[in-house]
């Protein structure tokens, strides 16, 4: 009985000291740690969702840009048409200069 009473008094004294120093009990400390861990997990999950959303938006934007561009075989045809039109414009310009008697300005060999 004496030992039991001494242990109770020691526990009560420890409790009073902890309250005076504003120290949490072991149970409260464990609860706080669990809450903090849950909060960290929630924040991590939220950041991950935001990163995933940003990544998906970036991919969607990329796919939209790719969809607007012509295929390679179409681009080759476009490039060929541009080249032919440019050559036709040069030839038209050259023939106009020759008609006006300025053909010697062309440096054509």
């Amino acid at each position: 009985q004496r030992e039991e009473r001494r242990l109770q008094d020691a526990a009560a004294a420890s409790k009073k000291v902890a309250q005076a120093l504003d120290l949490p009990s072991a149970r409260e400390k464990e609860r706080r740690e669990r809450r903090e861990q849950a909060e960290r997990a929630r924040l991590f999950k939220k950041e991950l969702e935001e990163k995933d959303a940003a990544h998906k938006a970036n991919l969607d934007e990329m796919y939209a840009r790719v969809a607007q561009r012509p295929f390679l075989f179409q681009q080759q045809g476009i490039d060929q048409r541009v080249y032919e039109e440019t050559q036709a414009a040069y030839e038209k310009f050259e023939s106009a200069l020759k008609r006006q008697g300025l053909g010697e300005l062309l440096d054509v060999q």
Side-chain angles (χ1 to χ4, degrees), residues 30-108:
E30 185 179 328
R31 284 185 197 140
R32 186 181 300 162
E33 287 174 358
R34 275 191 302 226
R35 279 195 307 264
E36 289 173 355
Q37 186 178 11
E39 180 66 16
R40 282 193 304 270
R42 186 186 66 78
L43 289 175
F44 179 77
K45 187 175 180 183
K46 182 180 176 185
E47 288 176 8
L48 188 62
E49 289 172 354
E50 289 172 356
K51 286 179 183 178
D52 285 347
H55 180 67
K56 186 180 182 322
N58 192 16
L59 277 178
D60 290 344
E61 180 183 319
M62 232 185 296
Y63 286 139
R65 282 195 316 261
V66 168
Q68 290 174 353
R69 296 192 62 174
F71 290 110
L72 186 59
F73 65 90
Q74 293 170 326
Q75 184 62 44
Q76 186 178 7
I78 292 170
D79 291 344
Q80 182 63 31
R81 255 195 329 269
V82 168
Y83 176 77
E84 289 170 357
E85 289 171 2
T86 304
Q87 288 301 317
Y90 282 135
E91 290 171 7
K92 183 178 178 183
F93 182 69
E94 286 176 13
S95 67
L97 284 177
K98 286 179 183 176
R99 278 194 312 263
Q100 298 297 324
L102 303 172
E104 64 275 355
L105 297 176
L106 293 175
D107 295 332
V108 178

